[in-house]
Amino acid sequence: MNLRIAIVPVGRMDPLEVEAAAARIAKILNTAVILRQPAPVPKAGDDPARGQHVAGPFLSELRGQLARLAIAKTVGVAPASEPAGATSAAADATLFVTDVDLYKPQTDGVFGDIDAAGHVALVSVRRLREAFYRRKADPVKARARLVKLALYALGRARGLPDCRDGGCALLTTTSLPDIDMKPEKYCAPCWRRMTTGAYRI
Ligand SMILES: [Zn+2]
């Protein structure tokens, strides 16, 4: 069985930026990635006073909308063994990508959130962009960060735990320099779990 991955842009997130990351992820995971139609920005979690959204409720509302979002396109080539129509089946892991800033209670801001039970995850590109830190824009760096964060979030949405291998995208990361240090790949055990679904928490 092939790994079924779906990615959904949220709100005004640039679909081309998401597609570029999806193409890279498809290559790394050696599977086709489904891009769904953009989801509207959830009202849940909106905190106008902070100019941010609370990640948990934001992701919950997106998860509820998922079934209504049509498939926009498929990125990457599915292996020949993939039966026709398989892409419409429920994904093993779905990732929402937003450009709004997210936070969780007791934090200034977060890169995203995970709902492992629902097989969905959320990442924000806001804190991956140099502009957020008042530095010169670097789209190549921002895309690499998005790909690494997506690999982490998709792995967690698939039910995998954090990894302690410094050469693995599932390594726990809490800061931007940590993300920059990680490679755009999984270690061998995580890769096996990711592709076979042999590990569930
Ligand atoms: Zn690993």
Side-chain angles (χ1 to χ4, degrees):
M1 192 185 78
N2 291 304
L3 186 60
R4 293 161 302 177
I5 299 294
I7 300 183
V8 188
V10 179
R12 299 197 307 180
M13 183 68 212
D14 180 1
L16 290 178
E17 191 178 343
V18 176
E19 188 175 334
R24 179 85 188 119
I25 292 161
K27 196 163 188 180
I28 294 165
L29 293 177
N30 191 33
T31 191
V33 171
I34 304 299
L35 279 180
R36 288 191 178 270
Q37 298 286 1
V41 174
K43 290 190 176 62
D46 190 12
D47 187 340
R50 286 179 58 143
Q52 292 176 299
H53 287 72
V54 186
F58 192 91
L59 178 55
S60 295
E61 188 173 323
L62 287 172
R63 184 187 165 196
Q65 294 174 0
L66 188 55
R68 293 196 293 275
L69 302 171
I71 292 173
K73 67 194 295 185
T74 304
V75 179
V77 179
S81 59
E82 184 84 351
T87 50
S88 61
D92 295 308
T94 297
L95 177 70
F96 294 95
V97 183
T98 181
D99 64 350
V100 308
D101 198 26
L102 304 168
Y103 78 99
K104 292 181 190 178
Q106 322 301 332
T107 70
D108 286 334
V110 293
F111 294 115
D113 201 10
I114 314 289
D115 174 0
H119 304 299
V120 295
L122 166 68
V123 299
S124 166
V125 297
R126 185 67 72 96
R127 288 166 190 265
L128 303 181
R129 291 177 173 155
E130 290 292 277
F132 183 83
Y133 309 94
R134 301 178 190 281
R135 297 192 290 254
K136 187 172 177 292
D138 189 336
V140 173
K141 201 180 244 182
R143 191 189 71 163
R145 288 168 177 165
L146 174 56
V147 168
K148 293 175 198 181
L149 198 58
L151 290 176
Y152 173 81
L154 285 166
R156 293 293 314 282
R158 176 101 165 108
L160 272 62
D162 280 29
C163 182
R164 289 183 185 166
D165 189 332
C168 180
L170 271 160
L171 179 74
T172 312
T173 43
T174 53
S175 72
L176 204 56
D178 285 349
I179 294 173
D180 286 337
M181 290 281 288
K182 285 204 285 192
E184 292 180 25
K185 68 181 184 72
Y186 298 110
C187 69
C190 287
W191 170 256
R192 212 159 34 242
R193 290 166 178 168
M194 189 71 187
T195 50
T196 63
Y199 193 100
R200 297 280 184 199
I201 51 170

